[in-house]
Amino acid sequence: MKRILAQCTKELAQFRRDRLTLALAFILPVMTLFIFGFAIRLEAKNIAIVVQDFDRSNLSRRYTEGLYQTNQFVPAQWSGDDPMQDALDRGIAKAAVIIPPDFSRGIAAGKTSQLQVLIDGTDVNNARVIKNSIQAFTRSFLQDQNLMSGTSKITPRLRLWFNPGRRESLYIVPGVFGVILAIYPSLLAALAMSREKEQGTILQAYASSISAAELLLGKCLAYLVVGIGQAIFVIGLGCAIFRIWFVGDPSPFLIGTGIFLIASIMFGLLIGVRANNRSVAVQGVATAGFLLALLLSGFIYPLSNIPFPLSLVTNIVPARYFIEISRDAFVRGTGWEGVWVAQVCLVVLAFVLFNIARRILGRMQLPG
Amino acid sequence: MTQKTVTNSQITEVRPTDPAASDDVIRVIGLHKHYDRVAAVQGVDFSVRRGEVFGLIGPDGAGKTTTFHILGGVMEATAGDVQVLGQPPRDARLKIGYLTQQFSLYLDLSIDENLRYVGGLRQVPDRQFSERREKYLRLMNLEKFGDRLAGELSGGMKQKLALCCALVSQPQVLLLDEPTTGVDPVSRREFWDVLAALSSEEGVTIVVATPYLDEAERCNRVALMYDGQIQQIGTPAELRNSLGLHRLEVHTPQLQAAEQVLTTLSESDAIVDVQTFGDRLDVLVSDPQTGESQVRELFRQNHLQADTIELAEPTLENVFVTRLRQQGSAPEFFEFPRSRGGNRNVTTGSSSDFAIYSHNLNRSFGSFRAVKNVNVEVRYGEIFGLLGANGAGKTTTIKMLCGLLPISSGDISLGGERGNLRSSELRRRIGYMSQKFTLYDDLTILQNLEFYSGVYGVPRRLRREKIDWVIATCGLDGRETMLTGQLPGGWKQRVAFGASVMHEPDILFLDEPTSGVDPLARRQFWKLINDFARNGTAVLVTTHYLEEAEQCNRMSFMVAGEIVTEGSPSQIKASQPGQLIEVVIDQTQAASNLLKQQMESWRVSIFADRLHIVLDDPDRDIPIVRSLLKSANLTIHSLRPIPFSLEDAFIGVVQRLAQSATPEEP
């Protein structure tokens, strides 16, 4: 225990001394919070479209106006005579709606009329959103105009739970907490470990009788202190700026944060133990950490969309479990009942990472 | 001065050479270590007794560091039995203090924090920790700097702190891997004084690796290691005697001609080796009488003038080089392929012909005057040494002299050019090898050399020849395509030297060229430098390794930005006031403690089983020393005057200056 504490005090003294890592520890996370918190917008708003109305009837005009009133679409500047394809080609509009000359006549005659909708499919996600919106709008337009053939017996009454206002920050920000706490504490830990190897000071530890486990735990303890500081700082700032707060019992989140920090630090130490110098360590954490925490954690892309066998990888990404806990704390609020599995998974992961790192450090000797 | 009484505990001394003390602290039998296919250590046997200072000496790549790693318990041996304090080294780790070759300190921690960390790691109880912290910081004169960051200490202070850290857990064994590399002469002396005290007063067993053979003289026993094997073990005196050769110091004004005559014309095997220094030749002979008469005879036949021929003991360097030559491992000397036939008129004496000239040169950084009124005059064909401790202003001076750094005031002329020292025409005539020469580690040796020959404007058709010469000289044939980063430090220095002379410069600046280079390679280095000088190149070299400064024709000592002494090696040594006395005595450490109470401590140092004492007035002081030692019941076995080394001279100059600057009570 004394050796763990000695290791820990030393790490903290070094950390305090190094202005660069100090900045790294607090400024970069805040920048990440702002970039992700403000910049990522998943909902489609203000999509530029053009409408070419060959019908020029009351009905077609009402349809066009209705389309723009949804707030989702805005008219793009386009003279009505040029071919619609050009508007898409030049990127002026994301979609074009072409109303044929016999549109209103056909409807009046009780026949099925056709609309042509061209959508820019470069961005698949957006294209799908546009397609669904136009379809949904058209259906409701027909209903409003009483043009539906045969009234439907069932009308769904939809209610959004947990996030009734569909506030996006409520979805993004708790996830950003996960990404930040996955990357920065592990980066610091990896740097601290690889620096000893790079500068040869690790030999001093080898030459004393400190064990691999004690060395790792000492470093982990120091960076846990730093990580808790980062967590309070980033989460506090995030809550204040994006106006989010706990719903229900905060204790699973608080405890989960601690466990998650340990897991990320262990991940960093593991990379540091493998890397022989700092630049390799930074690259390792940046590549592995960022990719896993961003793409395979459910932060942006739903886990259920990730295909097999890649979906198996998500099970060993600690950020995935933390994001689950975090979203529960800020959005759902089910408490322990909903997230105890995630907590257990984090504990197991932290322990596994620690053991791998310990195995690699092995007998605290130079490689033969 | 406060008079301390000599307590009993100071006199009781563990006698390291006592044959009855058979308690071997370290025992190594048949040690082997292989890295993949490379055998680093191949069958090493030795043992070290309690309280002994044991030196491990050998060239780069001899397997010294590997041996240390194994003794320190941080590496597994491939085969063999290693026992430290009767245990496998790994189990004895808490009783071993290990100073690794790289600085084993955290440079971003303060002195106190470094100590505390080691204390915690090694589980030193708090009370003992603060006791020992006090004691050792005082011993190393570091007690005032507790809050200073380790990175802000000088090289010497860093190593002393590292030693403190190792001592905090009160180890019974100290392993020191090249502890004084990059440490200035004064700190080096102090460091060794501390080691001597630890071994004799506290019975600490010390194993030390060093590339400096004058340090090996301060060990009780020395092992010569080469190619993963120990070639010879013995006390310094035994090693010298085993050589069966004698050294003649021949002073002559015609060094080059004399060397040629002695090496090529000597028919008998009376003359074994000839080595050129700045103002003398060292000739190794098997018999002093016949040797001397033969040298005289050869001089007479060739109309050479020999000022003096003095008989001296062979140095450990002689032993080392001769033994390695017998192994056939001396690097070969290749004539440089000269295409310009350099030789300009070496002997003209007018001042405008100085290759490097400066008058009242000054340089300040803010309010700090790094260089004060420095005068340097170097002629073509001359090797000039600029010596001094770290931070004395050597590198600043050299950078100004070759135009890399603007001067604050003063006159400079370089190769006859006064105004623009950075013109490309002038730069083509200059070679500069900096302290940390920038060979690109991620290029191959060949690519580096091609790059530099291009940069220095070596004509394309000559490049191949010059590059081949560098590679042959460095003994790297067939390994040209190796990455430079994989070379050991000493080899890299040699390649770097090659790269800086490929364009046959008229003026060559060498800033600490041989730091980290082993004795054998160092010899070759100086042979090359001499060869360039003889062909008319002016050479300015800085070093803080003073034994090496003997190679310079003339030199200046710099202290705190000023030149304090200048002259040829013999002149400087002769100008030292007083006399150096070697005393062989029963209890060296007790005697040293006693004497240090009566005179300034720099005047007394322990060299293995003897004392070196600097006395200003020997006729008056020797009887005082004798009676002082006798009154403490110490038996003097012998007492004789010996010549000053350059290092003695340097330390004397520095200490006398410090003394006159801060006058203390007598």
Side-chain angles (χ1 to χ4, degrees):
Chain A
M1 195 61 207
K2 191 174 172 193
R3 285 185 293 219
I4 297 179
L5 280 182
Q7 187 71 37
C8 173
T9 5
K10 183 221 107 194
E11 294 296 332
L12 286 177
Q14 275 187 303
F15 172 73
R16 218 182 32 187
R17 196 80 14 90
D18 189 353
R19 301 247 161 105
L20 197 70
T21 40
L22 211 60
L24 199 76
F26 291 99
I27 294 174
L28 280 186
V30 170
M31 284 170 57
T32 315
L33 177 71
F34 284 178
I35 291 171
F36 285 176
F38 284 120
I40 297 186
R41 284 291 169 264
L42 299 178
E43 63 188 323
K45 268 186 186 165
N46 300 331
I47 300 162
I49 59 167
V50 284
V51 177
Q52 200 169 31
D53 184 359
F54 290 114
D55 188 34
R56 294 169 196 270
S57 66
N58 259 342
L59 190 69
S60 71
R61 234 168 277 137
R62 245 181 287 143
Y63 179 82
T64 313
E65 273 162 26
L67 206 53
Y68 291 144
Q69 271 162 11
T70 56
N71 278 341
Q72 211 168 7
F73 300 108
V74 289
Q77 288 292 328
W78 193 253
S79 81
D81 300 331
D82 292 333
M84 289 292 103
Q85 291 92 313
D86 290 1
L88 295 191
D89 285 351
R90 293 183 204 163
I92 288 168
K94 289 282 170 213
V97 179
I98 300 160
I99 304 173
D102 56 349
F103 176 68
S104 54
R105 236 182 307 143
I107 289 176
K111 282 194 282 184
T112 308
S113 286
Q114 290 194 326
L115 279 173
Q116 188 181 23
V117 179
L118 304 171
I119 301 175
D120 179 355
T122 320
D123 178 347
V124 181
N125 255 331
N126 245 333
R128 195 182 302 125
V129 170
I130 295 171
K131 182 185 132 205
N132 290 342
S133 303
I134 292 180
Q135 268 175 351
F137 167 73
T138 308
R139 204 174 302 123
S140 68
F141 177 76
L142 292 177
Q143 257 169 4
D144 287 352
Q145 306 292 322
N146 283 320
L147 295 171
M148 286 290 265
S149 51
T151 46
S152 53
K153 298 271 165 15
I154 305 164
T155 32
R157 300 227 174 270
L158 301 174
R159 197 186 310 156
L160 273 172
W161 270 23
F162 306 129
N163 190 359
R166 284 213 290 178
R167 270 171 62 204
E168 263 210 320
S169 53
L170 211 49
Y171 175 71
I172 297 289
V173 176
V176 177
F177 293 158
V179 174
I180 291 175
L181 297 185
I183 292 165
Y184 296 104
S186 58
L187 190 64
L188 294 177
L191 279 174
M193 192 71 216
S194 54
R195 182 174 48 199
E196 298 236 24
K197 293 179 81 181
E198 184 179 303
Q199 298 179 344
T201 45
I202 191 81
L203 272 180
Q204 278 311 304
Y206 288 168
S208 75
S209 60
I210 189 170
S211 69
E214 286 168 327
L215 181 79
L216 289 172
L217 289 178
K219 281 188 189 288
C220 178
L221 192 60
Y223 284 96
L224 182 61
V225 173
V226 175
I228 289 174
Q230 288 181 308
I232 292 173
F233 186 58
V234 167
I235 294 172
L237 204 64
C239 288
I241 291 176
F242 297 101
R243 305 277 170 82
I244 59 172
W245 192 243
F246 299 110
V247 286
D249 181 10
S251 66
F253 178 74
L254 299 182
I255 290 171
T257 306
I259 306 174
F260 177 57
L261 281 173
I262 294 176
S264 339
I265 292 164
M266 283 302 172
F267 174 71
L269 289 177
L270 173 61
I271 299 232
V273 164
R274 288 293 304 179
N276 283 322
N277 59 54
R278 278 179 280 181
S279 56
V280 171
V282 169
Q283 279 172 26
V285 173
T287 325
F290 246 103
L291 283 181
L292 294 180
L294 274 182
L295 301 182
L296 298 181
S297 66
F299 168 52
I300 299 177
Y301 307 108
L303 289 173
S304 51
N305 285 1
I306 296 166
F308 183 84
L310 212 56
S311 58
L312 293 179
V313 179
T314 63
N315 291 322
I316 57 160
V317 179
R320 165 214 168 138
Y321 299 104
F322 179 71
I323 289 177
E324 213 172 282
I325 295 171
S326 173
R327 284 194 175 137
D328 186 82
F330 289 102
V331 188
R332 246 192 332 259
T334 51
W336 282 105
E337 214 177 311
V339 296
W340 67 271
V341 182
Q343 308 261 17
V344 171
C345 290
L346 278 180
V347 172
V348 171
L349 279 177
F351 190 70
V352 168
L353 288 169
F354 166 69
N355 263 307
I356 299 175
R358 198 176 52 119
R359 193 71 55 87
I360 295 173
L361 263 183
R363 277 170 43 90
M364 301 285 286
Q365 278 183 330
L366 291 168
Chain B
M1 187 195 294
T2 51
Q3 279 289 339
K4 283 178 266 176
T5 49
V6 182
T7 61
N8 277 337
S9 67
Q10 271 174 307
I11 292 183
T12 37
E13 184 184 22
V14 183
R15 299 234 17 224
T17 43
D18 186 356
S22 63
D23 49 347
D24 288 340
V25 169
I26 296 174
R27 187 173 297 144
V28 177
I29 300 165
L31 176 64
H32 284 264
K33 177 70 195 181
H34 300 262
Y35 300 104
D36 296 331
R37 260 170 277 146
V38 187
V41 176
Q42 338 183 24
V44 162
D45 308 289
F46 65 90
S47 55
V48 185
R49 289 187 287 270
R50 185 175 304 278
E52 197 173 28
V53 180
F54 186 84
L56 208 51
I57 294 173
D60 285 332
K64 290 173 294 178
T65 297
T66 303
T67 309
F68 272 95
H69 281 337
I70 292 168
L71 286 177
V74 302
M75 195 184 256
E76 213 62 80
T78 310
D81 181 35
V82 180
Q83 297 269 316
V84 178
L85 297 159
Q87 287 171 304
R90 205 180 145 69
D91 300 333
R93 278 182 301 174
L94 279 187
K95 297 172 205 153
I96 302 175
Y98 183 14
L99 249 70
T100 44
Q101 196 170 13
Q102 292 162 294
F103 283 125
S104 35
L105 299 167
Y106 293 93
L107 300 183
D108 45 1
L109 294 184
S110 69
I111 290 186
D112 274 338
E113 285 164 339
N114 264 300
L115 284 170
R116 205 166 292 279
Y117 173 57
V118 177
L121 271 195
R122 293 177 168 258
Q123 294 176 303
V124 181
D126 285 342
R127 219 172 49 86
Q128 284 173 25
F129 172 78
S130 48
E131 238 168 62
R132 291 178 195 165
R133 174 187 168 278
E134 292 276 305
K135 173 178 163 192
Y136 291 118
L137 284 183
R138 198 163 353 101
L139 188 65
M140 316 280 176
N141 291 322
L142 289 172
E143 70 266 39
K144 279 172 284 175
F145 307 108
D147 295 332
R148 179 117 33 123
L149 293 190
E152 293 167 359
L153 299 174
S154 73
M157 284 159 99
K158 271 186 201 140
Q159 287 304 67
K160 284 195 229 164
L161 173 59
L163 188 58
C164 269
C165 288
L167 290 171
V168 148
S169 61
Q170 209 120 67
Q172 298 172 42
V173 177
L174 264 184
L175 305 174
L176 312 173
D177 193 0
E178 307 206 351
T180 55
T181 301
V183 173
D184 63 79
V186 178
S187 303
R188 220 145 64 86
R189 248 320 142 83
E190 288 170 3
F191 191 88
W192 275 89
D193 283 347
V194 171
L195 293 188
L198 285 171
S199 81
S200 63
E201 285 179 350
E202 305 192 10
V204 180
T205 307
I206 299 172
V207 184
V208 55
T210 173
Y212 300 133
L213 290 159
D214 57 335
E215 289 186 346
E217 304 269 3
R218 301 192 66 166
C219 298
N220 298 115
R221 281 193 308 142
V222 172
L224 287 187
M225 197 163 177
Y226 179 74
D227 216 5
Q229 285 171 326
I230 288 183
Q231 309 293 340
Q232 205 175 6
I233 297 189
T235 65
E238 282 169 4
L239 291 186
R240 275 195 293 267
N241 294 340
S242 76
L243 194 60
L245 296 174
H246 303 269
R247 185 164 64 98
L248 298 176
E249 289 189 0
V250 182
H251 287 260
T252 167
Q254 297 130 303
L255 285 174
Q256 186 181 355
E259 187 197 351
Q260 207 139 37
V261 165
L262 291 179
T263 44
T264 54
L265 295 182
S266 138
E267 281 133 23
S268 72
D269 7 305
I271 294 174
V272 180
D273 180 40
V274 181
Q275 191 183 3
T276 313
F277 286 95
D279 59 356
R280 65 161 207 264
L281 294 173
D282 270 13
V283 183
L284 284 189
V285 294
S286 37
D287 182 77
Q289 271 85 44
T290 50
E292 182 173 342
S293 57
Q294 180 152 33
V295 170
R296 288 204 187 277
E297 176 64 19
L298 281 168
F299 268 58
R300 203 181 45 75
Q301 284 171 8
N302 294 282
H303 312 291
L304 293 167
Q305 171 197 348
D307 293 345
T308 57
I309 299 182
E310 284 167 33
L311 180 64
E313 274 189 321
T315 61
L316 277 185
E317 204 257 4
N318 296 138
V319 178
F320 187 87
V321 171
T322 311
R323 290 284 172 233
L324 292 194
R325 286 228 176 109
Q326 287 162 358
Q327 298 283 324
S329 58
E332 271 180 87
F333 179 78
F334 296 93
E335 195 74 29
F336 183 73
R338 277 170 211 289
S339 45
R340 306 198 344 204
N343 240 338
R344 61 192 60 241
N345 198 350
V346 176
T347 46
T348 46
S350 75
S351 70
S352 61
D353 275 351
F354 285 127
I356 308 167
Y357 170 83
S358 83
H359 183 68
N360 283 342
L361 189 62
N362 279 288
R363 172 74 210 193
S364 310
F365 296 102
S367 61
F368 172 63
R369 288 181 70 195
V371 172
K372 302 170 201 163
N373 296 327
V374 165
N375 299 326
V376 173
E377 292 165 356
V378 188
R379 292 188 175 81
Y380 291 104
E382 189 175 39
I383 303 175
F384 181 83
L386 203 54
L387 316 178
N390 291 327
K394 299 182 309 249
T395 299
T396 310
T397 306
I398 215 173
K399 279 189 175 154
M400 286 193 283
L401 288 175
C402 62
L404 286 172
L405 187 72
I407 63 176
S408 297
S409 68
D411 289 326
I412 288 186
S413 109
L414 184 60
E417 180 75 45
R418 285 182 174 272
N420 182 11
L421 300 184
R422 298 304 294 157
S423 73
S424 62
E425 196 206 335
L426 180 58
R427 269 190 292 170
R428 210 168 297 140
R429 292 171 49 208
I430 288 170
Y432 176 57
M433 176 178 167
S434 72
Q435 215 162 1
K436 291 177 193 120
F437 191 81
T438 44
L439 286 180
Y440 296 95
D441 276 353
D442 48 358
L443 293 185
T444 66
I445 296 160
L446 196 62
Q447 285 165 338
N448 260 308
L449 292 174
E450 277 165 355
F451 171 73
Y452 280 103
S453 62
V455 167
Y456 281 122
V458 176
R460 199 164 286 280
R461 65 202 153 77
L462 299 177
R463 281 186 199 169
R464 190 68 248 167
E465 193 186 13
K466 311 244 166 170
I467 290 174
D468 284 347
W469 172 79
V470 176
I471 286 169
T473 300
C474 298
L476 287 170
D477 281 311
R479 283 189 279 175
E480 304 92 314
T481 52
M482 204 168 134
L483 281 187
T484 310
Q486 293 168 350
L487 281 178
W491 294 63
K492 226 192 264 185
Q493 292 288 94
R494 282 192 265 173
V495 178
F497 175 78
S500 65
V501 298
M502 277 190 294
H503 60 301
E504 290 175 58
D506 294 337
I507 301 169
L508 188 54
F509 290 96
L510 304 170
D511 195 1
E512 306 269 352
T514 57
S515 72
V517 177
D518 66 69
L520 215 56
R522 211 179 294 152
R523 255 208 191 192
Q524 188 209 24
F525 229 110
W526 280 102
K527 204 160 180 188
L528 291 170
I529 295 173
N530 268 314
D531 184 54
F532 272 89
R534 283 171 190 174
N535 283 285
T537 301
V539 182
L540 190 147
V541 55
T542 70
T543 175
H544 59 224
Y545 180 47
L546 288 162
E547 199 166 276
E548 183 169 79
E550 300 266 7
Q551 303 271 4
C552 301
N553 305 120
R554 281 192 314 117
M555 65 186 77
S556 291
F557 278 0
M558 276 187 93
V559 174
E562 279 176 293
I563 288 180
V564 292
T565 309
E566 52 196 334
S568 72
S570 310
Q571 281 167 351
I572 287 182
K573 282 184 270 187
S575 71
Q576 274 303 291
Q579 178 67 50
L580 185 64
I581 307 287
E582 184 194 75
V583 182
V584 182
I585 196 162
D586 273 355
Q587 298 172 8
T588 345
Q589 186 65 40
S592 150
N593 291 344
L594 182 68
L595 290 171
K596 280 187 178 184
Q597 289 170 13
Q598 301 296 332
M599 49 180 91
E600 298 102 322
S601 62
W602 63 268
R603 291 177 181 272
V604 185
S605 25
I606 298 174
F607 277 71
D609 55 346
R610 29 198 95 190
L611 283 181
H612 285 189
I613 308 171
V614 180
L615 297 176
D616 278 351
D617 182 357
D619 292 341
R620 185 197 66 197
D621 294 339
I622 288 178
I624 301 178
V625 168
R626 275 188 192 278
S627 68
L628 193 65
L629 293 174
K630 199 167 283 176
S631 69
N633 290 326
L634 296 164
T635 319
I636 299 172
H637 297 294
S638 86
L639 189 151
R640 62 178 184 126
I642 55 171
F644 281 114
S645 71
L646 268 182
E647 185 173 284
D648 294 317
F650 180 77
I651 289 172
V653 167
V654 171
Q655 299 286 9
R656 287 196 174 92
L657 268 179
Q659 216 174 3
S660 60
T662 52
E664 280 173 284
E665 46 188 315

